[in-house]
Each structure stands twice: as structure tokens, then as C-alpha cells.
Amino acid sequence: MVSIKIAGTVDESVVDGEGIRFTIFTQGCPHKCEGCHNPHTHDYTAGKNVTIEKLFTEICENPLLQGVTFSGGEPFLQAEPLAILAKMLHKKGFDVTTYTGYTLEELQAMNSVMVNALLDETDVLIDGKFIIAERDLTLQFRGSRNQRLIDMKQTREQGKIIRKEFN
């Protein structure tokens, strides 16, 4: 069984992406952004291990969910199990949103098979560190103006970054 280290989950979130979502907060983060609203996720030794099969079952039991959000901590530190879980979720019709403190360009420059696998299974990427000087509470699904909502399917198809627009 494949496991992931998490800080916790939210069963029905409407602030972590479009629609009603199951949000998984991964444990461990190298960014430690000033003003982070999840500082308890920074410590790599905290949190708990849970199997992706257990998370998958829990998600599939809720008929209200549109999608799943991977937040943090830093999800790309656990790219392999999240990519596997995302692939399972896509087969069940869920969409996947992934938050990261890295930019898409930084993730691509890592040239990592597992990072690329998670990017391939991500529908919407919300990238960039939270920068307190650019904090804006009016922004949808993000905390600072530097962070981007990226439509990953369109980005892959067009070969350039395409921003995601929500109604």
C-alpha cells in the first residue's frame, strides 16, 4: 500500500478550488512563507501517515464532491503518491487542483519523473509562494497577487501558460 504523510483533511471545502472539494493538507514544507495560514504543516516530522487507498475510499463515499485539492505543506515533496491518487481520482471523474509554493517553471526545471507525473494529473495548478506584501483577500483561491491559477490541460495543449478563469 502506498502512503502519504498528511497534516489533515477537510471533507467539504469551498475555498480550496472550484466546487465542493475534499482537501488534503500534506505535511512538510521547505518554503515557510511569512504569514502562511498553515504553519503547522511545515515540520517534516509531524503529521500522520495514511494510505492513498483510505483517502480514495473516503473521497468516493461523498457524492457531493466535484474534486480534490492537494494543499500543504508542499504537495510536490510527495509527488509520487499524489500522482497515483490523482490518477485514481480522474478515473472516477474528479478534478484535481494542486497548490504549490514553487512556480510551474521551477517544477519543470526539476526534471523529475514524479513531479512531472503529478503535473500531468493536475487540472488546476495554483503556483508561487505566498508573499505577505502581495496579500489580497479579494483573490479567488489564493492569498497573494503573485500566485497564478493555471489551467494545466490548456497549458499542456498550447505549450504556454494559460491562466484559469472561474465564473
Side-chain angles (χ1 to χ4, degrees), residues 3-155:
S3 67
I4 182 170
K5 192 164 208 183
I6 65 169
T9 61
V10 174
D11 295 340
E12 295 176 0
S13 172
V14 295
V15 297
D16 297 314
E18 188 172 39
I20 300 173
R21 314 190 65 72
F22 187 95
T23 302
I24 300 168
F25 294 93
T26 61
Q27 188 69 47
C29 184
H31 308 298
K32 297 179 177 48
C33 302
E34 180 186 355
C36 175
H37 72 279
N38 293 327
H40 64 284
T41 66
H42 296 177
D43 182 357
Y44 295 94
T45 64
K48 63 181 179 180
N49 287 309
V50 62
T51 66
I52 61 172
E53 293 81 4
K54 180 180 184 305
L55 290 168
F56 180 73
T57 299
E58 190 175 339
I59 292 162
C60 291
E61 288 174 349
N62 187 339
L64 300 176
L65 296 176
Q66 172 183 330
V68 176
T69 297
F70 302 148
S71 190
E74 175 51 65
F76 281 92
L77 295 180
Q78 299 184 72
E80 183 172 11
L82 289 174
I84 295 167
L85 177 57
K87 188 178 218 80
M88 294 165 61
L89 292 165
H90 278 134
K91 287 180 181 174
K92 285 290 192 177
F94 294 103
D95 66 77
V96 175
T97 293
T98 305
Y99 281 83
T100 180
Y102 297 108
T103 64
L104 176 56
E105 294 85 354
E106 289 170 330
L107 291 169
Q108 291 169 331
M110 290 177 186
N111 201 26
S112 161
V113 170
M114 288 300 107
V115 167
N116 290 336
L118 180 53
L119 285 172
D120 287 345
E121 294 296 332
T122 295
D123 299 297
V124 176
L125 183 72
I126 301 171
D127 77 338
K129 293 179 184 174
F130 171 75
I131 298 175
I132 200 159
E134 296 194 36
R135 181 178 182 217
D136 184 344
L137 297 178
T138 67
L139 296 171
Q140 196 172 32
F141 309 130
R142 59 201 189 281
S144 58
R145 288 183 297 279
N146 63 296
Q147 295 171 312
R148 302 176 293 184
L149 297 170
I150 301 173
D151 182 324
M152 289 302 293
K153 180 179 182 210
Q154 290 297 317
T155 294

